[in-house]
Amino acid sequence: MSSRKRSNPLALAVLICLFERPMHPYEVAATLRQRHKQESLRLNYGSLYAVVASLEKRGLIAPQATMREGRLPERTVYAVTESGKIEAHDWMTELVSTPVNDYPSFEAALSFLPALPPGDVVDLLEERAMHLKVELARAGATRELNEKAQLPRLFWVEDEFRVALREAEFDYVRRLIAEIKSGAFDGLEWWTEIHASTESQGTEATPTGKARR
Amino acid sequence: MSSRKRSNPLALAVLICLFERPMHPYEVAATLRQRHKQESLRLNYGSLYAVVASLEKRGLIAPQATMREGRLPERTVYAVTESGKIEAHDWMTELVSTPVNDYPSFEAALSFLPALPPGDVVDLLEERAMHLKVELARAGATRELNEKAQLPRLFWVEDEFRVALREAEFDYVRRLIAEIKSGAFDGLEWWTEIHASTESQGTEATPTGKARR
DNA sequence: AACGGGGTACTCTGAATCGAGTATCCGGAA
DNA sequence: TTCCGGATACTCGATTCAGAGTACCCCGTT
């Protein structure tokens, strides 16, 4: 009934925070930031207040009280409604059970790979690999801190998952580099050729290929 | 200079298509669809024309001619400009060399895992694993078709990468299921407890934890 | 006593996104 | 012959997003 627009997971975050106790939007943001959710969620004020307004319009949350302290702007405290609880539950169910395409930008980049000459690509991939290595090292350190602080794994599965994906990405990038360098990469001759004339831009040669499938 | 807003990779796709030869926007879309780029890119008409307008405003593409056939709507053919070529090159360089956070929605879901009872989570993760298995099987079939059609790997690295990530996700999900089921998952007692009273919604108990870090 | 930096709590605006809608043409079936 | 479905080529409006900006407070310094 109310699954009209389930785009922004920030709305789910709000619902779940208000599930714990009524809060005002800024407090929700502070809570999320304190729990490091800004690494898994696009958290910024413009979206936050927009999302809160939308949730209210859809009857998933309701203002409980508006108070003000001194001459500071009003704080509107919201509470989650019954249908809000149901929506949060359904949304979680969907998110966990059903994979979706998130269109990672590196995938897009790979799909345009022929646009750059293979030599440049190798250098850029090597740079990416380095960045990934650094990121993984930092993640490992954070993980150790979490363990030392006795923070149960339940509260950092999302980091663990991110690391798993990044490791897979790292492996893939390394393999790709190796194969291009070795010359064994299928399509390399054509790829080299279309970038042969110019130093670093090939204004020619459509990668027509044969119509796929 | 012109890296003002590099959000939507669809703009890069347009640039690269026009690099091959001048086209009108709809033709760009058709070309991209024919090459199965809609699996790596959010491709829809609303965004396409918006993106084209923005590229024109920024001087990265320029209208070459507007023609009409019969009483069909006008087709404006665009060509990429010199600065458009540079922008495409720089953008590609950035995309390939620098990892970014794409905020995958499953990561968000994992970060709210305590909101659902562990038993439900196991079932949902198992459903996800099944979906992933199907997807991987389909991807394998597509790959074999590509190989049989002698389509060089250069033209399906993006699919290969997607598969690598999905495989990592699959492995992670399986491990998670196993650990929760075995009872070895750290934090499971607390997790079970807060969902003990009610059948499937725990309106109580803030997962306060200790303040992280 | 005045000042500055950091935190609180939003507000505003312009851009981006999405999907439905429009209007036309074409080819084949009934 | 006429109708119908599908392709062509966009247009429009309603959200949604992003992030800079505003206004105030508190606290320590000079």
Side-chain angles (χ1 to χ4, degrees):
Chain A
M1 191 55 85
S2 67
S3 75
R4 304 196 356 85
K5 273 260 137 184
R6 249 172 214 176
S7 50
N8 194 345
L10 181 57
L12 177 58
V14 170
L15 249 24
I16 288 178
C17 273
L18 298 186
F19 198 84
E20 289 175 19
R21 68 190 163 78
M23 298 186 199
H24 53 98
Y26 188 86
E27 201 179 350
V28 170
T31 306
L32 292 174
R33 199 125 20 87
Q34 206 199 346
R35 296 182 193 168
H36 298 260
K37 301 297 186 199
Q38 78 280 32
E39 271 151 57
S40 317
L41 285 172
R42 261 173 249 264
L43 174 51
N44 52 47
Y45 293 114
S47 308
L48 176 66
Y49 287 92
V51 146
V52 164
S54 152
L55 287 174
E56 184 184 352
K57 204 176 58 188
R58 291 162 54 194
L60 303 177
I61 63 176
Q64 243 205 353
T66 62
M67 48 187 64
R68 74 163 54 221
E69 224 157 84
R71 226 162 296 118
L72 277 171
E74 252 185 7
R75 295 176 307 173
T76 306
V77 175
Y78 290 89
V80 65
T81 64
E82 264 323 301
S83 45
K85 288 180 190 173
I86 293 167
E87 170 65 5
H89 181 271
D90 291 359
W91 196 347
M92 270 304 281
T93 299
E94 189 191 324
L95 277 181
V96 175
S97 68
T98 316
V100 298
N101 189 348
D102 290 309
Y103 299 97
S105 54
F106 185 52
E107 189 187 318
L110 286 178
S111 86
F112 304 131
L113 223 46
L116 293 178
D120 293 13
V121 165
V122 167
D123 293 346
L124 297 172
L125 288 176
E126 250 151 14
E127 197 186 325
R128 185 183 195 86
M130 268 185 38
H131 283 304
L132 289 172
K133 204 167 199 168
V134 171
E135 194 188 324
L136 286 171
R138 243 206 324 277
T142 310
R143 181 168 162 279
E144 273 180 35
L145 279 179
N146 283 340
E147 270 166 0
K148 226 160 246 161
Q150 306 262 32
L151 187 66
R153 249 184 86 197
L154 176 58
F155 296 128
W156 41 279
V157 264
E158 69 272 27
D159 304 67
E160 210 178 48
F161 174 69
R162 193 198 356 264
V163 167
L165 285 199
R166 285 305 200 191
E167 267 164 0
E169 181 178 331
F170 182 73
D171 290 351
Y172 184 79
V173 168
R174 288 233 76 82
R175 257 184 298 146
L176 203 51
I177 293 171
E179 289 182 58
I180 300 176
K181 270 183 160 173
S182 79
F185 188 76
D186 184 27
L188 186 58
E189 320 77 45
W190 178 86
W191 190 7
T192 309
E193 230 167 78
I194 61 158
H195 290 282
S197 46
T198 49
E199 211 89 309
S200 66
Q201 64 176 11
T203 187
E204 285 312 313
T206 307
T208 327
K210 30 203 89 178
R212 277 172 162 195
R213 198 185 301 268
Chain B
M1 189 58 82
S2 66
S3 74
R4 303 192 1 83
K5 272 262 133 184
R6 249 172 213 177
S7 50
N8 194 347
L10 181 56
L12 177 58
V14 170
L15 248 25
I16 288 178
C17 273
L18 298 186
F19 199 84
E20 289 174 20
R21 66 188 164 77
M23 299 186 198
H24 53 96
Y26 188 86
E27 201 180 350
V28 169
T31 306
L32 292 174
R33 198 124 22 85
Q34 206 198 345
R35 296 182 191 167
H36 299 262
K37 301 295 186 200
Q38 78 279 30
E39 270 151 56
S40 317
L41 286 172
R42 261 173 249 267
L43 175 52
N44 53 47
Y45 293 114
S47 308
L48 176 65
Y49 288 93
V51 146
V52 165
S54 151
L55 288 174
E56 184 184 351
K57 204 176 56 187
R58 291 162 53 193
L60 304 176
I61 63 176
Q64 245 207 350
T66 62
M67 49 186 62
R68 75 162 53 222
E69 224 158 84
R71 224 161 296 119
L72 277 171
E74 252 186 7
R75 293 176 308 172
T76 305
V77 176
Y78 289 90
V80 65
T81 64
E82 265 322 301
S83 45
K85 287 179 191 173
I86 292 167
E87 169 66 5
H89 181 270
D90 291 358
W91 195 347
M92 269 304 282
T93 298
E94 188 191 323
L95 277 182
V96 175
S97 68
T98 316
V100 298
N101 189 348
D102 289 310
Y103 300 97
S105 56
F106 185 52
E107 189 187 318
L110 286 177
S111 86
F112 304 131
L113 223 47
L116 293 178
D120 292 14
V121 165
V122 167
D123 293 346
L124 296 171
L125 288 176
E126 250 149 15
E127 198 186 326
R128 185 181 196 87
M130 268 186 37
H131 283 304
L132 289 171
K133 204 167 200 166
V134 171
E135 195 188 323
L136 286 171
R138 245 207 323 276
T142 310
R143 181 167 163 280
E144 274 180 35
L145 279 179
N146 283 341
E147 271 165 1
K148 227 161 246 159
Q150 305 260 36
L151 187 67
R153 248 185 85 197
L154 177 58
F155 297 128
W156 41 277
V157 264
E158 70 270 26
D159 303 67
E160 211 179 47
F161 174 68
R162 194 199 352 266
V163 167
L165 286 198
R166 285 305 202 194
E167 266 164 359
E169 179 177 333
F170 182 74
D171 290 350
Y172 184 78
V173 168
R174 289 233 74 85
R175 257 184 299 144
L176 202 52
I177 293 170
E179 288 181 59
I180 300 176
K181 270 182 161 173
S182 79
F185 188 78
D186 183 27
L188 186 57
E189 321 75 46
W190 179 84
W191 190 7
T192 310
E193 230 166 78
I194 61 159
H195 290 283
S197 45
T198 47
E199 212 89 309
S200 66
Q201 66 176 13
T203 190
E204 285 314 311
T206 306
T208 325
K210 33 204 84 177
R212 276 172 164 193
R213 196 184 302 264

